[in-house]
Amino acid sequence: MGLGPPLHTYKHMPCTVFNRLFAIIYICAIVALIYHHFLTLSHSTTFISVAITTSLLISDLILAFMWATTTSFRLRPILRQVFPENLEKVLDRKDFPAMDIFICTADPYKEPPINVINTALSLMAYDYPPEKISVYVSDDGGSELTLFAFMEAVNFAKIWLPFCRDNNIMDRCPEAYFSSERHGRAELESEEIKAIYESMKMKVENVVERGEVCPDYIMNELQRQTFNKYRTPGFARSHHPPIIQVLIDGAKEKDKKGHSMPNLVYVSRGKNINVPHHFKAGALNTLLRVSAVLTNAPIVLTQDCDMYSNDPHTPKRALCYISNPSVRPQLGYIQFPQRYHGLNKDDIYGGEFLRLFVANPVGMDGLQGPSYVGSGCFFRRRVFFGGPTSMVLPEIPELRPDYVVEKPITSEAIIELAHHLGECNYENNTKWGFELGFRYGSLVEDYFTGYRLQCEGWESVFCHPSRPAFLGDVPISLIDAVSQTKRWAIGLLEVGFSKYTPMISGSRYMGHVMGLCYAHYAFWPIWSIPIVIYSFIPQIALLNGLYIFPEVTNPWFLLYVFVFLGAYAQDCYDFILFGSTFKRWWNDQRIWLIKGLSPYLFGLAEYIAKHLGIASQGFNVTSKVQDDEQSKRYDQGLMEFGVHSVMFLPLATASIVSLFSLVVGIIQMLSIWEVEKLFGQLFIAGFGVLNSWPIYEAMILRSDKGRIPIKTTISSICLAILLCGGAFLVL
Ligand SMILES: O=c1ccn([C@@H]2O[C@H](COP(=O)(O)OP(=O)(O)O[C@H]3O[C@H](CO)[C@@H](O)[C@H](O)[C@H]3O)[C@@H](O)[C@H]2O)c(=O)[nH]1
Ligand SMILES: [Mn+2]
């Protein structure tokens, strides 16, 4: 920075040297392993042994490729530190840039409006000049319930914001604050506010339960007119004109203590069943345009509706990097990790996503910067308009990132223009979604957008303070977790096999290591191929007395041991290094196997089906509703199945096959007493059984509602019999 106290610094992680050395050794091991497969292949005489060796070869090639992509995150990890306490020494508070905050919600029944307004309130209460903040809510659910909740939030904000400011509260999400032990200091006032909050919450929940805003809750003619828009004949969430409401005009409205308030704008973009709306990316682009004509702040923060702010100083941390764009003109965005509240102790579904949200971004931070993960990201508005040196102009001057807004946000002309910009077919014949704004073409618009921005030359920074900047909800049932992963899998493959594939395009624009980092995600779903093969082939071969791995006494066996233990140990080491625990790592590797057998596999299949024109996929919003009984089981660490789903069949079948082959394998071992021959397969079957423990429990031992339905159990037993019987006939 030159002058003044430092705002940020970084250091290389000490593990870098070890990581690089280990990578070299491991590459040699992989080469040897592949050589061994070819050797075996050349000695194979029967069709069966050729087929088995080939499938192992393919599996190991895929695992090797994925290992290489994982390793790219380990080559130059850096840790950053920011000094927000120094910010006001170099930048006057009145010179802080304005910020437009985008919150997306899509379904009042899966994303309860009370939670959405909690997120909004936590962000409105940022420790930042309120007149510089504008919060825009995108309601893709097109629901009066959400709008009603926000109208209520406006009144509550007038008490909540000054309360947080005057008492220097850290938890500025009301729900989090009132349910924590911390609200001791401002006792009396806090109790009063809590009562007001509770009554608002009841009102909002009541309205959601009824499914409509009852007439007593409508305060005046203006509100009645607004709600009537949702009740015109033909109005549906997927078919309606744009609705834009300025709920707080910061220039006029004051809080209870007479201070200014942030702007709050509700936007439900226009939709038409015949016009593609591009899901969240489409919603964000509408917000980009609407906010451009209303406030056009140079900084844009995107937030999922469940990701509330957990630290009021977060925007100042971001400012430490972007307060002076001329210092690093290519810096495009600052990504904070997604962190979650309410994870159970050992994180049975791997909901922490330690690698995705922490370890990998740290790795990319030392290169061109982390990928964008959809929430908790401060962008410079300029990034949505072409690369750092080649600006792409929008169709009207009002949308340019350097356009200065002069009219007040409630002026009629501006509101009219905003509605026009939110029309469902506004984007026809424009560059939105392709060269401008968030990019279309993938269900993981975040990954795809970040990737394209970085290809254009934008850099990014990972900001990972020890107090989480944002906290969100995790799926607490297996079906939710795997459905989410399946959506991601499809979206990632859409990028992986597009003309922008990271392997080629990414490497060309960002270098091979960055290309590999992005390829890592794009090809996540192909992990399902080796996982499926290793979950069935060694076990079924064992059942039929076919031994497919080197004997324990054979030196090649050591190679297998090294490759397996090496990968697992380094994986575990990463987990511990980034502050997680051994048990969480263990559950994470189990969920990795589950994903390979279920969402990655189905994602791959659906992606192919889509390409053959058989099916098409939408964005299935993850439910954020917490069923009490389900939450209880989650807290106890029980895996929640509960419903019958084809997604569970491969894993249930694999667990039965493993168990069966382990038992038969042990019997074989006792009868022929040649452990060294079958040890490899026995180990894999045993490893499968160990990992399947929660599945057996849920099939047989449990009686609660989260157990595996009998239908699933029977279907998977039938499948297992078919598979083993079929193999018996063939082999
Ligand atoms: O048509 C849609 C669909 C979704 N959303 C919003 O998108 C956000 C993310 O949806 P969610 O169901 O929570 O998906 P997750 O899989 O949990 O989200 C992750 O993955 C998404 C991409 O698949 C990213 O957009 C998210 O930022 C990232 O947190 C939510 O706020 C939704 O309201 C919309 O606004 N419009
Ligand atoms: Mn989410």
Side-chain angles (χ1 to χ4, degrees):
M1 278 238 81
L3 302 168
L7 292 179
H8 56 86
T9 107
Y10 72 88
K11 62 171 195 282
H12 291 274
M13 283 181 79
C15 61
T16 311
V17 179
F18 167 78
N19 284 351
R20 292 180 183 184
L21 279 177
F22 186 77
I24 295 173
I25 298 171
Y26 204 83
I27 289 176
C28 299
I30 290 176
V31 171
L33 184 73
I34 302 298
Y35 169 74
H36 180 247
H37 281 318
F38 276 110
L39 213 61
T40 320
L41 206 54
S42 69
H43 293 148
S44 300
T45 44
T46 63
F47 170 73
I48 295 299
S49 75
V50 171
I52 291 179
T53 313
T54 312
S55 64
L56 293 184
L57 173 65
I58 293 173
S59 300
D60 290 352
L61 283 173
I62 293 177
L63 288 174
F65 170 73
M66 291 308 286
W67 171 84
T69 62
T70 311
T71 300
S72 57
F73 296 106
R74 295 183 176 131
L75 298 180
R76 207 170 178 273
I78 63 169
L79 293 177
R80 294 183 188 275
Q81 209 185 344
V82 277
F83 308 102
E85 62 278 13
N86 289 345
L87 184 66
E88 284 179 53
K89 294 178 195 152
V90 294
L91 188 69
D92 212 62
R93 220 173 148 85
K94 69 175 194 316
D95 296 328
F96 282 9
M99 263 181 209
D100 286 344
I101 301 180
F102 296 173
I103 304 173
C104 288
T105 182
D107 184 332
Y109 297 104
K110 285 184 174 173
E111 304 179 324
I114 185 70
N115 298 0
V116 185
I117 60 175
N118 262 284
T119 299
L121 286 163
S122 72
L123 296 163
M124 288 162 72
Y126 263 156
D127 176 22
Y128 204 79
E131 63 279 4
K132 306 225 174 207
I133 296 186
S134 306
V135 174
Y136 292 87
V137 190
S138 155
D139 177 17
D140 258 355
S143 168
E144 59 176 59
L145 310 177
T146 305
L147 177 64
F148 175 77
F150 271 92
M151 287 176 168
E152 288 295 306
V154 170
N155 299 326
F156 185 66
K158 290 182 183 163
I159 323 169
W160 181 245
L161 303 192
F163 171 74
C164 291
R165 188 178 52 228
D166 297 346
N167 297 288
N168 210 3
I169 306 288
M170 280 301 272
D171 294 314
R172 299 198 177 184
C173 163
E175 187 69 46
Y177 174 75
F178 292 123
S179 52
S180 81
E181 304 297 305
R182 282 186 283 264
H183 62 283
R185 242 181 314 156
E187 207 85 64
L188 200 72
E189 196 188 359
S190 144
E191 287 310 314
E192 256 169 53
I193 297 180
K194 185 174 181 179
I196 302 174
Y197 172 73
E198 292 298 338
S199 88
M200 168 182 76
K201 183 174 171 180
M202 246 167 56
K203 223 164 143 184
V204 170
E205 287 181 339
N206 189 277
V207 161
V208 173
E209 211 164 288
R210 283 161 169 263
E212 62 169 356
V213 181
C214 49
D216 330 345
Y217 286 164
I218 298 176
M219 305 311 291
N220 52 41
E221 186 51 32
L222 205 68
Q223 286 193 354
R224 187 181 321 280
Q225 276 173 13
T226 313
F227 286 118
N228 278 344
K229 290 186 188 162
Y230 296 82
R231 296 166 182 178
T232 50
F235 186 103
R237 62 186 286 186
S238 53
H239 198 88
H240 65 86
I243 300 177
I244 299 174
Q245 285 288 317
V246 176
L247 297 174
I248 299 180
D249 172 4
K252 294 195 190 121
E253 213 92 41
K254 296 276 179 268
D255 67 26
K256 281 270 146 49
K257 298 258 168 89
H259 279 77
S260 338
M261 293 184 80
N263 296 314
L264 177 64
V265 183
Y266 168 93
V267 179
S268 182
R269 61 188 167 129
K271 283 206 181 145
N272 181 314
I273 25 182
N274 300 315
V275 180
H277 58 77
H278 305 289
F279 312 106
K280 186 178 164 198
L284 287 170
N285 281 339
T286 306
L287 288 190
L288 269 178
R289 292 192 298 270
V290 169
S291 65
V293 295
L294 265 59
T295 46
N296 210 25
I299 294 176
V300 166
L301 164 64
T302 56
Q303 274 308 97
D304 286 351
C305 62
D306 56 328
M307 284 281 169
Y308 65 79
S309 158
N310 183 55
D311 183 347
H313 308 301
T314 302
K316 285 202 255 173
R317 290 179 191 276
L319 269 202
C320 287
Y321 294 104
I322 36 177
S323 58
N324 189 351
S326 62
V327 173
R328 200 174 155 191
Q330 317 86 321
L331 180 60
Y333 59 89
I334 291 134
Q335 176 69 60
F336 286 77
Q338 291 204 18
R339 314 265 310 259
Y340 302 95
H341 59 97
L343 283 173
N344 62 9
K345 185 162 149 277
D346 297 329
D347 190 14
I348 42 169
Y349 304 127
E352 183 179 27
F353 283 105
L354 190 81
R355 247 182 299 278
L356 171 61
F357 292 134
V358 180
N360 294 352
V362 165
M364 293 173 91
D365 213 6
L367 307 162
Q368 207 184 310
S371 55
Y372 164 48
V373 296
S375 192
C377 189
F378 291 81
F379 287 97
R380 278 175 60 201
R381 186 181 280 267
R382 171 65 182 79
V383 302
F384 299 110
F385 301 86
T389 51
S390 54
M391 185 147 164
V392 176
L393 290 182
E395 56 289 351
I396 54 170
E398 289 90 332
L399 297 179
R400 286 178 57 133
D402 50 5
Y403 181 79
V404 182
V405 179
E406 271 154 3
K407 294 201 184 99
I409 66 170
T410 40
S411 95
E412 218 163 282
I414 288 216
I415 293 296
E416 198 173 310
L417 178 57
H419 276 88
H420 171 61
L421 296 169
E423 212 76 67
C424 65
N425 49 14
Y426 174 81
E427 289 179 354
N428 290 355
N429 305 320
T430 65
K431 297 180 190 140
W432 286 95
F434 302 96
E435 285 175 65
L436 295 178
F438 293 83
R439 306 301 151 90
Y440 301 154
S442 166
L443 280 177
V444 282
E445 79 302 322
D446 46 352
Y447 164 81
F448 187 43
T449 302
Y451 168 60
R452 295 287 304 282
L453 294 182
Q454 293 203 303
C455 283
E456 286 174 0
W458 292 106
E459 292 175 1
S460 59
V461 154
F462 183 57
C463 194
H464 180 34
S466 53
R467 181 181 167 102
F470 305 101
L471 289 174
D473 293 327
V474 272
I476 58 162
S477 74
L478 190 62
I479 192 69
D480 282 347
V482 294
S483 307
Q484 179 189 49
T485 307
K486 188 180 83 179
R487 162 165 38 85
W488 291 354
I490 297 168
L492 292 168
L493 288 172
E494 282 169 331
V495 181
F497 294 114
S498 71
K499 65 175 175 186
Y500 301 109
T501 181
M503 288 305 289
I504 300 168
S505 193
S507 296
R508 184 160 89 221
Y509 292 110
M510 303 183 284
H512 294 300
V513 186
M514 275 299 279
L516 276 180
C517 290
Y518 271 105
H520 174 74
Y521 295 120
F523 296 111
W524 256 7
I526 63 169
W527 252 331
S528 59
I529 298 168
I531 293 176
V532 168
I533 289 178
Y534 274 108
S535 304
F536 289 102
I537 303 249
Q539 290 82 339
I540 292 179
L542 181 60
L543 282 175
N544 290 282
L546 278 180
Y547 307 127
I548 60 175
F549 294 120
E551 295 179 12
V552 178
T553 44
N554 184 334
W556 283 110
F557 183 79
L558 281 180
L559 181 66
Y560 275 84
V561 174
F562 175 75
V563 171
F564 176 81
L565 286 186
Y568 257 68
Q570 197 179 22
D571 201 52
C572 180
Y573 167 72
D574 276 354
F575 252 70
I576 308 294
L577 189 70
F578 286 102
S580 199
T581 65
F582 179 78
K583 279 192 173 164
R584 285 194 169 199
W585 165 74
W586 175 254
N587 283 331
D588 188 81
Q589 68 78 38
R590 170 176 18 237
I591 214 74
W592 173 66
L593 295 173
I594 291 182
K595 285 177 181 167
L597 285 166
S598 176
Y600 291 160
L601 185 65
F602 285 97
L604 198 59
E606 282 187 30
Y607 170 78
I608 294 169
K610 187 174 174 182
H611 265 253
L612 299 176
I614 307 172
S616 78
Q617 283 81 27
F619 192 117
N620 230 328
V621 175
T622 314
S623 171
K624 284 118 191 152
V625 184
Q626 309 247 325
D627 171 272
D628 281 347
E629 266 181 58
Q630 232 178 51
S631 300
K632 213 161 113 201
R633 287 194 289 273
Y634 178 71
D635 291 338
Q636 290 168 346
L638 289 175
M639 213 170 246
E640 180 82 17
F641 295 86
V643 291
H644 171 75
S645 161
V646 282
M647 301 261 298
F648 295 151
L649 288 181
L651 42 133
T653 309
S655 68
I656 294 168
V657 171
S658 280
L659 183 61
F660 190 40
S661 97
L662 180 69
V663 173
V664 173
I666 291 176
I667 295 172
Q668 279 179 29
M669 185 181 78
L670 295 176
S671 59
I672 62 170
W673 209 247
E674 280 185 299
V675 197
E676 61 270 25
K677 260 190 180 173
L678 45 83
F679 180 79
Q681 278 154 281
L682 209 56
F683 175 80
I684 292 188
F687 192 67
V689 168
L690 193 61
N691 267 307
S692 304
W693 197 253
I695 300 181
Y696 306 135
E697 254 182 1
M699 274 182 185
I700 308 161
L701 300 177
R702 283 165 54 185
S703 56
D704 56 78
K705 276 198 192 140
R707 70 186 309 245
I708 296 184
I710 203 83
K711 188 173 164 195
T712 315
T713 309
I714 293 177
S715 319
S716 49
I717 292 177
C718 293
L719 276 174
I721 293 174
L722 269 177
L723 213 68
C724 297
F728 185 72
L729 293 180
V730 176
L731 296 174

